[in-house]
């Protein structure tokens, strides 16, 4: 194994520690084996394992809640209920009485539930994987195998995984995880977004990462995108010193976002709910540029009530009395499946299927309830509430959404520009709504026809692709305020280029704000414009990056 593995650095900073890998799947216990004959004892063993799993999940849930992650606790408590389900225990007993060993009996009893869930149609895949997780934990206990999922550790560690799902990370303690490394995932994967939100350094798309043996000490540089095995003390010290120097350079730049010559560019935070507000405030966000409301709807069999929605929205709105909060209505489908809004049928290409606004047009009642809750949440507050729709393609859809907003009392509707058609015909959409927010994650995915969930396509998911920049330009020039809320806004050099293209605000995970603020403050608007023009003239993403940097001399002082 080479000393240094390379991938895409997606969350800045340096972390060093021993590797702990997310254990892989638990093998299926073989069919046809028989237990020793004592069915009562075998059943007792199986029940004890299930109870231990339930207790462990509840305990993790309590820890998640203590760390402020109540949604994580709800997911884990729901899993504990599955482990204690009396019907499941009955299924295990019936099999054990036929001579089936405990582990196999558990496997088969869960299988019945699995089929029921899948057949019920209204449950999302994540529900089935929650069930599989409970099953695998019980089988691992019964067979003495390592526990699947995120490992337990008393000392700080570097978490290495093929990829991380939101459920894996619900109980992560940022004080324990010093860095993330994943073999798959791109700059816009969940791992990347979660790492930035938690402020943990991360490198994704690292070939060979999961082959690093457990316990190996590694140095992860989330800015350079490197993972060095068994670094010397000196290497760790040098890397930490460079990171610290950058951190202090950042502390010097505070206040609202602006270029060196005073062109204001409001810097906003991307949040998933009230739990992210504190980080946004700490990093000086001037408001919220993307409130991803689907986090409130995840793992639910029915939508949250109007009151529950109103409360969650109000908590975020209240935090920015003098600012703005841009709320995105439910973006269900594709990479964000929701239990109560299943895809209407088998979709061969979910990313091109019924997702975002397309899904809401099928379920106007869900949209109306959300918009009403938003209007109520904002009533009496001074914050500027803006509401936008995801995955909008044309002016007909934009007009439909604007009408739905106004009917619910929302005065400032907007749309995300994520589909190339919307960018190319931005002027048509601008006639219908008051603002745009470019979702560069999806815009890049659709421009380059490269599924953002496929790690092997990371080089095509690069928002520096000149074709993507060519689509930003018409959206930014269509005559309505146009922000960027995709991960591109968090790249300090690209942030300058976006401003040069005419983008009027930038929204990102809160920990990325200081570096972007500092990068803008070190360049004039004219420099940003020259960098943008040079990037668009380049023929490849790599060249675009280099060409832009040549016009952004202030980046070097930030160690970029
Ligand atoms: C985007 O597509 O750039 C975006 C901000 O939305 P999401 O990442 O939630 O799809
Ligand atoms: Mg998107």
């Amino acid at each position: 194994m080479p000393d240094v593995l390379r991938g895409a650095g997606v969350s800045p900073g340096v972390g060093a520690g021993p590797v702990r890998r997310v254990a892989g799947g638990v093998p299926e216990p073989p069919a046809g084996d028989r237990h020793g004959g004592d069915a009562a004892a075998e059943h007792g063993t199986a029940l004890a394992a299930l109870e231990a799993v339930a207790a462990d999940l509840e305990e993790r849930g309590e820890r998640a809640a203590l760390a402020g992650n109540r949604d994580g606790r709800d997911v884990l408590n729901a899993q504990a209920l599955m482990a204690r389900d009396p019907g499941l225990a009955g299924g295990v007993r019936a099999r054990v009485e036929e001579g089936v060993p405990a582990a196999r009996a558990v496997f088969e009893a869960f299988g019945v539930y699995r089929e029921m869930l899948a057949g019920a149609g209204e449950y999302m895949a994540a529900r089935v994987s929650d069930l599989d997780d409970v099953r695998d934990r019980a089988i691992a206990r019964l067979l003495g195998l390592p526990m699947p999922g995120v490992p337990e550790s008393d000392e700080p560690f570097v978490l290495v995984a093929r990829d991380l799902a939101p459920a894996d990370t619900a109980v992560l303690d940022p004080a324990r995880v010093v860095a993330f490394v994943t073999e798959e995932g791109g700059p816009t994967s969940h791992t990347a977004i979660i790492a930035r939100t938690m402020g943990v350094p991360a490198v994704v798309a690292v070939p060979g990462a999961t082959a690093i043996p457990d316990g190996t000490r590694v140095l992860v540089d989330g800015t350079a995108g490197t993972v060095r095995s068994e670094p010397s003390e000196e290497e760790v010290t040098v890397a930490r010193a460079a990171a610290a120097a950058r951190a202090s350079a950042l502390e010097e730049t505070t206040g609202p976002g602006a270029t060196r010559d005073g062109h204001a560019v409001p810097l906003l935070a991307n949040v998933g709910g009230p739990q992210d507000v504190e980080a946004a405030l700490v990093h000086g966000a001037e408001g919220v540029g993307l409130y991803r409301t689907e986090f409130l709807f995840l793992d639910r069999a029915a939508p949250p009530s109007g009151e529950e929605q109103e409360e969650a929205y109000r908590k975020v709105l209240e935090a920015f009395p003098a600012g703005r909060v841009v709320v995105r209505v439910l973006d269900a489908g594709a990479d964000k499946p929701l239990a109560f809004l299943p895809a209407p049928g088998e979709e061969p290409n979910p990313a091109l299927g019924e997702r975002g606004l397309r899904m809401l047009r099928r379920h106007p009642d869900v949209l109306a309830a959300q918009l009403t809750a938003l209007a109520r949440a904002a009533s009496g507050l001074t914050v500027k509430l803006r509401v936008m729709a995801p995955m909008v393609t044309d002016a007909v859809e934009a007009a439909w959404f604007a009408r739905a907003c106004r009917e619910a009392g929302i005065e400032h509707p907007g749309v995300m520009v994520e589909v190339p058609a919307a960018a190319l015909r931005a002027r048509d959409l601008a006639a219908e709504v008051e603002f745009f927010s470019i979702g560069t994650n999806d815009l890049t995915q659709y421009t380059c026809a490269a599924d953002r969930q496929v790690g092997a396509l990371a080089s095509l998911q690069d928002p520096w692709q000149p074709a993507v920049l060519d689509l930003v330009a018409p959206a930014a020039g269509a005559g309505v305020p146009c922000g960027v809320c995709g991960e591109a806004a968090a790249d300090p050099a690209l942030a300058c280029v976006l401003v040069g293209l005419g983008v009027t605000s930038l929204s990102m995970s809160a920990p990325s704000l200081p570096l972007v603020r500092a990068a803008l403050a070190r360049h004039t608007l004219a420099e940003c414009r020259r960098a943008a023009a040079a990037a668009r003239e380049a023929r490849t993403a790599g060249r675009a990056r280099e060409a832009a940097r040549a016009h952004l001399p202030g980046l070097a002082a930030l160690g970029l």
Side-chain angles (χ1 to χ4, degrees), residues 176-530:
R176 286 271 158 75
V177 185
V178 295
F180 290 122
V181 177
T182 61
E183 192 147 323
E184 305 204 330
T188 59
S189 61
H190 280 299
T191 307
I193 293 171
I194 288 161
R196 279 194 286 267
T197 306
M198 288 171 69
V200 171
V203 185
V204 301
V206 183
T210 52
I212 306 175
D214 243 32
T216 309
R217 207 174 135 69
V218 293
L219 169 63
V220 180
D221 187 329
T223 308
T226 54
V227 182
R228 181 179 294 276
S229 288
E230 303 297 358
S232 66
E233 278 313 313
E234 195 195 337
E235 281 168 327
V236 175
T237 311
V238 168
R240 285 198 202 285
R246 180 179 314 136
S248 70
L250 296 187
E251 271 173 27
E252 288 162 17
T253 322
T254 53
T259 58
R260 200 173 79 216
D261 51 337
H263 171 72
V265 183
L267 296 179
L268 311 165
N270 291 354
V271 303
Q275 71 280 4
D276 297 333
V277 162
E278 193 187 332
L281 292 171
V282 165
H283 290 100
E286 294 162 59
V288 168
L290 170 62
Y291 182 171
R292 288 185 164 100
T293 54
E294 51 282 353
F295 285 103
L296 187 63
F297 293 72
L298 277 178
D299 269 318
R300 319 264 297 227
S305 68
E307 292 73 40
E308 190 182 341
Q309 290 193 47
E310 194 181 321
E311 193 191 332
Y313 303 147
R314 184 176 275 266
K315 279 191 188 143
V316 175
L317 293 170
E318 277 173 346
F320 299 95
R324 77 175 85 167
V325 171
V326 183
V327 179
R328 174 174 77 186
V329 294
L330 204 47
D331 188 14
D335 58 331
K336 309 177 192 88
L338 293 185
F340 65 94
L341 286 182
E346 186 73 7
E347 288 191 326
N349 295 302
L352 302 181
E354 295 207 38
R355 54 165 301 199
L357 186 67
R358 301 167 182 189
M359 188 71 101
L360 294 172
R361 292 194 77 182
R362 188 179 267 280
H363 299 280
D365 47 325
V366 173
L367 176 64
Q370 187 175 23
L371 293 173
T372 305
L374 277 165
R376 286 215 188 110
S379 76
L381 301 183
T382 48
V383 61
K384 287 187 200 130
L385 169 66
R386 305 273 183 272
V387 180
M388 66 184 181
M391 192 70 185
V392 175
T393 306
D394 63 12
V396 173
E397 288 186 346
W400 183 86
F401 178 69
R403 202 174 321 116
C405 282
R406 294 199 171 107
E407 275 168 17
I410 305 273
E411 284 162 22
H412 306 290
V415 293
M416 291 189 74
V417 176
E418 306 188 279
V419 178
L424 287 166
R425 302 292 302 204
R427 284 196 181 275
D428 297 342
L429 280 75
E432 307 295 343
V433 292
E434 295 197 10
F435 71 96
F436 291 159
S437 182
I438 305 179
T440 45
N441 307 339
D442 276 316
L443 185 60
T444 307
Q445 149 164 280
Y446 295 124
T447 303
C448 300
D451 191 325
R452 60 194 274 192
Q453 303 206 82
V454 177
L457 301 178
S459 65
L460 288 175
Q461 290 148 356
D462 188 340
W464 281 99
Q465 287 281 351
V468 176
L469 302 179
D470 280 353
L471 289 176
V472 169
V480 293
C482 177
V484 168
C485 64
E487 296 301 313
D491 171 337
L494 190 45
C496 294
V497 165
L498 293 170
V499 168
L501 289 172
V503 160
T504 53
S505 63
L506 297 167
S507 189
M508 64 206 76
S509 308
S512 303
L513 286 164
L515 206 49
V516 169
R517 183 181 293 116
L520 281 181
R522 280 167 173 75
H523 299 101
T524 61
L525 181 57
E527 282 173 320
C528 293
R529 286 190 176 136
R530 282 197 290 273

Side-chain angles (χ1 to χ4, degrees), residues 25-33 103-104 106-108 135-136 139 143 145:
V26 170
E28 176 179 334
D33 285 0
R104 179 72 197 179
V106 166
F107 178 83
E108 290 180 7
R135 176 198 66 194
D136 289 350
I139 294 174
L143 300 181
L145 299 172

